[in-house]
């Protein structure tokens, strides 16, 4: 199935606006991810890729994965040409996604946050710090990945 239209978390005109919007967006993503993991025994991790580009924060990819069986239960990626989300096949390069258990190829780890003591603050702070250093205006571009598991949440980032 296809999801219609990009999922836009928020728009921004400058770094200050961008930073002020992060917490709410991260709360939404971490809460939804934890809910999915709780309600679906097959899913051990929910991986959400967020692109910050052209003054927008959009979800570019979302994966529901099982680390134990090394399977992707479900995955969607934004096709920027059609502006719809395409269902990803289960034959995805597992190493590329996990990058040996850490961040995917080309990304650097920004934080690993324990899920028992308010991970949203840890995740939000890591993303705010990263974006403050890498985005000075709507024309700049960065990608962030939030990988929520049962015990911790890993945050990875890369510039475009």
């Amino acid at each position: 199935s296809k999801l219609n239209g990009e999922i836009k978390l928020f728009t921004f005109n400058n770094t200050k606006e961008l930073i002020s919007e992060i917490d709410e967006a991260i709360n939404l993503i971490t809460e939804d991810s934890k809910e999915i993991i709780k309600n679906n025994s097959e899913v051990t991790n929910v991986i959400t890729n967020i692109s910050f580009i052209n003054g927008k924060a959009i979800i570019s990819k979302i994966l529901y994965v099982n680390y134990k069986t090394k399977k992707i239960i479900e995955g969607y990626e934004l096709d920027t040409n059609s502006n719809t989300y395409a269902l990803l096949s289960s034959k995805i390069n597992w190493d590329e996604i996990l990058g040996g258990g850490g961040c995917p190829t080309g990304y650097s780890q920004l934080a690993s946050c324990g899920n028992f003591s308010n991970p949203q603050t840890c995740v939000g702070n890591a993303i705010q710090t990263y974006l403050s250093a890498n985005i000075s205006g709507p024309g700049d571009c960065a990608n962030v990945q939030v990988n929520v598991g049962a015990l911790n949440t890993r945050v990875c980032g890369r510039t475009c």
Side-chain angles (χ1 to χ4, degrees):
S1 82
K2 284 192 174 192
L3 302 169
N4 290 326
E6 67 187 17
I7 299 171
K8 192 185 317 173
L9 297 168
F10 58 85
T11 58
F12 60 94
N13 293 306
N14 54 48
T15 310
K16 190 178 176 203
E17 273 182 26
L18 166 62
I19 298 308
S20 73
E21 296 282 356
I22 294 292
D23 283 343
E24 194 177 333
I26 293 310
N27 281 344
L28 188 73
I29 288 169
T30 42
E31 287 309 309
D32 281 358
S33 298
K34 289 193 318 200
E35 192 73 18
I36 290 161
I37 292 165
K38 194 174 97 180
N39 294 329
N40 185 336
S41 59
E42 271 192 288
V43 177
T44 64
N45 292 65
V46 176
I47 302 172
T48 307
N49 284 24
I50 310 163
S51 294
F52 300 90
I53 186 166
N54 298 329
K56 296 186 293 190
I58 53 173
I59 292 180
S60 53
K61 187 190 289 185
I62 188 156
L63 298 170
Y64 306 112
V65 299
N66 185 315
Y67 273 26
K68 295 177 190 98
T69 60
K70 292 210 166 167
K71 281 202 176 90
I72 291 159
I73 311 302
E74 215 172 313
Y76 298 91
E77 187 161 28
L78 181 65
D79 177 340
T80 50
N81 296 326
S82 67
N83 204 32
T84 58
Y85 289 85
L87 188 62
L88 292 171
S89 88
S90 56
K91 296 176 182 66
I92 299 171
N93 182 340
W94 188 251
D95 291 331
E96 191 181 293
I97 289 169
L98 284 183
C103 294
T105 312
Y107 281 78
S108 54
Q109 183 168 310
L110 309 179
S112 182
C113 308
N115 281 354
F116 298 109
S117 55
N118 195 6
Q120 292 91 327
T121 306
C122 170
V123 172
N125 288 346
I127 294 173
Q128 287 173 348
T129 302
Y130 184 73
L131 294 178
S132 294
N134 290 289
I135 294 195
S136 53
D140 294 335
C141 174
N143 294 303
V144 168
Q145 182 185 80
V146 180
N147 181 340
V148 179
L151 301 176
N152 65 10
T153 299
R154 184 185 311 276
V155 189
C156 305
R158 74 163 188 203
T159 52
C160 307

